[in-house]
Amino acid sequence: MKPKKKDIRSLSKEQLRAFFEKNGDKAFRGNQVYEWLWHKSLHTFDEMTNISKQTREMLQENFVINHIEVDSMQRSEDGTIKNGIRLHDGFIVESVLIPTEKRTTACVSSQVGCSLDCHFCATSRLKRMRNLNPDEIYDQVVAIDRQSQLYYNRKLSNIVFMGMGEPLMNYKNVLKSIEKITSPEGLGMSSKRITVSTSGVPKIIKKMANDEVKFNLAVSLHAAIDKVRSSIMPFNEKFPLKDLADSLIYWYEKTGRTVTYEYVVWDGINDKKEDIKALIDFCQHIPCKVNLIEYNPIDDGRFQQASSRAIDTYISSLEKHDIIVNVRRSRGKDIDAACGQLANKS
Ligand code: SAH
């Protein structure tokens, strides 16, 4: 049996250059192919017009270009577009385009399913099947950038890793994808416009600080009392708030970058005075801001968005302590494209 062909995009530029040299060609050919693969995002060798037919055939014999396919597309009444993305091995993940007046944001997935078990999140019901490769994350960004140009006449401006999966449980590939997204040899986007959202894996947050990453960090906090947090995000037992706080202090000391806490207020779960007090205390660790996100129902009776009075109390209490707080309205709810609703319903 013939050995399985390697995915050419798993090779670094250096490896691609070495491949051509080894095969009696110029290393420079590697640069040309690399540019087609990443900067121009081609998915077939035949379109590489400055590469000879013979070389293209040689590449075809040795490699495949695994790539994603937009399998389904749903458009919300607010303009949000949810894409079902088919991976080369048939798995489906979801990526969302979120337009606002001035921006287009891509919300991308990092895993098939999710490693974590947050009770309020639809994705947690899907077992983690595998991590996405860097090219699969990159391709989602390219696909949404194209949709943004097609439907909104402007380029993609921001990226959030808030789709399916826990990005820090696939840290290596997420980092590689961001390297490609920000490199002039890839999409040349600014890392300031990229936000990685995590439920909080302390060891990896410290690693990110050591790696001196330049993108933004958001932490899905939802509760600042261990008992409460563990009851809705069971993995908190393994990574308690104290460890999370330590890693965030380390992050801030190393990078000088603030953190955004994402927080949903639920009726009877985290809407008490002591919950607010704990959040205010947690916010003292490092400079931060709080995004209060609207709850997107996932048919689980235990979770109901708290009353607007409870939310107003949160806002005024945080503001009294000079903590910046934003209220985030959800987008694409009518098509299950909002935070926590990604679960391949179709
Ligand atoms: N695993 C990562 C990224 C995916 S979730 C993380 O936990 O951050 C993206 C955001 O949506 C997180 O802040 C998550 O807590 C939030 N979220 C999950 N389910 C939600 C729901 N049903 N309604 C509103 N936000 C939700």
Side-chain angles (χ1 to χ4, degrees):
M1 213 175 81
K2 264 184 151 180
K4 226 174 114 204
K5 290 184 200 173
K6 208 175 160 96
D7 179 5
I8 191 163
R9 284 194 294 173
S10 67
L11 268 57
S12 66
K13 190 159 119 190
E14 286 320 310
Q15 288 170 322
L16 209 51
R17 286 168 57 88
F19 171 82
F20 280 103
E21 266 189 323
K22 207 180 97 204
N23 285 278
D25 202 334
K26 293 195 183 69
F28 174 68
R29 200 75 60 223
N31 298 29
Q32 291 177 310
V33 171
Y34 190 86
E35 188 180 0
W36 285 116
L37 290 172
W38 293 103
H39 188 61
K40 301 213 169 86
S41 290
L42 282 194
H43 292 163
T44 67
F45 293 114
D46 274 345
E47 295 166 278
M48 300 183 176
T49 47
N50 61 355
I51 308 293
S52 74
K53 183 146 189 281
Q54 200 189 351
T55 305
R56 280 184 272 134
E57 280 169 0
M58 188 270 284
L59 286 171
Q60 192 86 48
E61 271 164 38
N62 285 278
F63 299 105
V64 287
I65 310 175
N66 285 339
H67 58 89
I68 67 161
E69 225 46 271
V70 176
D71 185 66
S72 62
M73 219 181 107
Q74 275 173 284
R75 208 158 166 184
S76 155
E77 41 194 44
D78 66 20
T80 301
I81 300 174
K82 178 166 86 164
N83 295 288
I85 300 285
R86 183 180 298 278
L87 308 177
H88 71 93
D89 54 2
F91 281 122
I92 305 268
V93 294
E94 291 173 338
S95 328
V96 183
L97 177 159
I98 307 155
T100 54
E101 209 179 304
K102 294 210 179 87
R103 301 179 179 176
T104 305
T105 300
C107 175
V108 298
S109 294
S110 56
Q111 297 182 313
V112 181
C114 189
S115 307
L116 301 179
D117 47 9
C118 308
H119 290 327
F120 48 81
C121 178
T123 309
S124 75
R125 296 174 181 170
L126 307 171
K127 219 174 84 200
R128 187 204 76 106
M129 304 305 286
R130 70 170 174 84
N131 286 338
L132 295 196
N133 296 323
D135 51 281
E136 292 171 326
I137 298 170
Y138 185 87
D139 281 359
Q140 293 175 63
V141 175
V142 171
I144 295 201
D145 183 34
R146 286 181 182 158
Q147 287 178 342
S148 180
Q149 307 204 36
L150 184 64
Y151 298 108
Y152 294 97
N153 243 319
R154 63 190 183 202
K155 286 180 159 230
L156 177 68
S157 56
N158 297 70
I159 304 172
V160 293
F161 282 75
M162 294 187 188
M164 297 172 141
E166 170 46 53
L168 298 202
M169 297 279 193
N170 184 19
Y171 176 61
K172 225 175 69 200
N173 289 348
V174 164
L175 197 60
K176 276 192 190 161
S177 73
I178 293 177
E179 276 163 19
K180 294 279 196 300
I181 291 164
T182 53
S183 156
E185 291 184 318
L187 299 177
M189 285 182 71
S190 160
S191 39
K192 285 192 207 122
R193 296 183 169 276
I194 302 177
T195 300
V196 171
S197 174
T198 176
S199 287
V201 188
K203 206 174 89 192
I204 310 292
I205 292 176
K206 286 187 177 168
K207 175 143 186 30
M208 280 165 55
N210 289 335
D211 289 344
E212 296 178 23
V213 299
K214 298 283 186 291
F215 47 80
N216 304 302
L217 178 62
V219 174
S220 302
L221 195 60
H222 303 307
I225 299 174
D226 272 314
K227 206 167 140 241
V228 178
R229 197 165 192 258
S230 295
S231 74
I232 53 176
M233 304 168 81
F235 80 95
N236 183 69
E237 283 180 21
K238 217 162 105 201
F239 307 118
L241 288 161
K242 165 87 176 65
D243 295 359
L244 178 59
D246 284 348
S247 71
L248 292 171
I249 292 166
Y250 186 84
W251 161 270
Y252 183 70
E253 279 171 357
K254 275 253 168 190
T255 68
R257 304 177 76 87
T258 63
V259 170
T260 302
Y261 299 125
E262 291 151 280
Y263 204 101
V264 178
V265 189
W266 289 283
D267 194 28
I269 292 182
N270 58 354
D271 57 352
K272 287 179 279 306
K273 277 217 176 78
E274 63 213 63
D275 295 298
I276 302 180
K277 183 176 180 305
L279 175 59
I280 290 168
D281 289 346
F282 197 87
C283 287
Q284 307 310 313
H285 292 305
I286 62 166
C288 62
K289 68 172 194 243
V290 175
N291 279 351
L292 289 181
I293 16 185
E294 195 181 324
Y295 173 55
N296 304 308
I298 58 154
D299 52 76
D300 181 329
R302 280 176 299 175
F303 294 98
Q304 303 288 338
Q305 165 102 35
S307 66
S308 29
R309 224 175 98 199
I311 293 169
D312 287 343
T313 310
Y314 255 95
I315 297 171
S316 58
S317 313
L318 289 166
E319 284 178 343
K320 220 184 278 164
H321 287 82
D322 296 324
I323 298 162
I324 302 170
V325 49
N326 298 305
V327 178
R328 289 262 176 262
R329 273 193 37 241
S330 69
R331 305 287 309 268
K333 234 180 181 170
D334 54 326
I335 54 165
D336 284 330
C339 280
Q341 292 187 312
L342 303 184
N344 308 150
K345 258 203 195 161
S346 47

